[in-house]
Amino acid sequence: MKVAPALRRSTVREEPGLFEIRIPTKANIFIVVFMLAWLGGWTMGEVSVISELLSGKSGEGTGFMAFWLIGWTVGGGLAIYTVLWMIAGREVLRLMGDQLSIRREIFGVGRTREYDLSHVSNLRVAPADPSPFWGPRTFPGMHPGIIAFDYGASTVRMGQSIDEAEALQITRELNARHRFHDRAA
């Protein structure tokens, strides 16, 4: 069987003074379906415990139930975030003027971080860490990414949903538009 080469997942937009790369997330259908089913049970547990607490009939178990509800609510929030990230999440990298910005968004809502290019160096592909916490099976939307650069004394990562080959394409495109010097000591 002949295997076709993988297509690029990211898209590029270029205008005068702006170079933008949009990287959509990878959706794992099994995880999305599992999380949606789990959220059905989660909703029943959340409503039951809230009803019990509001009725005042929980007696001595009120403290435990309140503590449990906090953890259960956080878990549900993470599950909702995971489903939304897998369905509509993306990273947007923008190189414009004297800054590089990284935006992580879901349905167009998100957070943008801007980096002064005079402090950005050593743009590179940094393969996934084999640790169980940041490896390929990391909680969706929380992987640090495969493209890295140094910003002062810290390392910034991006490109959560791409493979090494595409990350190399992106770093080459960015390097062709700005010289990210390696500022090694």
Side-chain angles (χ1 to χ4, degrees), residues 44-116:
M44 292 172 55
E46 189 89 358
V47 169
S48 295
V49 171
I50 290 172
S51 298
E52 186 74 21
L53 287 171
L54 292 176
S55 73
K57 297 178 185 175
S58 51
E60 291 181 20
T62 302
F64 173 76
M65 288 178 75
F67 178 75
W68 179 89
L69 183 63
I70 292 168
W72 193 247
T73 302
V74 169
L78 285 172
I80 291 167
Y81 173 79
T82 298
V83 169
L84 292 176
W85 179 253
M86 291 187 123
I87 292 172
R90 70 178 170 192
E91 287 180 284
V92 181
L93 315 176
R94 286 190 181 112
L95 184 60
M96 54 191 172
D98 62 350
Q99 73 178 22
L100 173 66
S101 71
I102 302 170
R103 178 173 176 82
R104 290 187 174 102
E105 61 184 29
I106 298 173
F107 291 117
V109 176
R111 175 185 69 197
T112 302
R113 293 194 174 181
E114 298 174 347
Y115 301 91
D116 182 347

Side-chain angles (χ1 to χ4, degrees), residues 5 12 20 24 27 36 52 58 84 88 95 113 121 140 149 160 169 172 177 182:
V12 174
E20 179 180 270
L36 289 172
E52 186 74 21
S58 51
L84 292 176
L95 184 60
R113 293 194 174 181
S121 64
F149 62 85
Q160 296 179 11
Q169 288 178 335
R172 285 179 179 158
R177 284 154 184 85
D182 182 2

Side-chain angles (χ1 to χ4, degrees), residues 138-152:
T138 302
F139 201 72
M142 295 186 180
H143 188 279
I146 193 167
I147 298 173
F149 62 85
D150 298 330
Y151 192 68

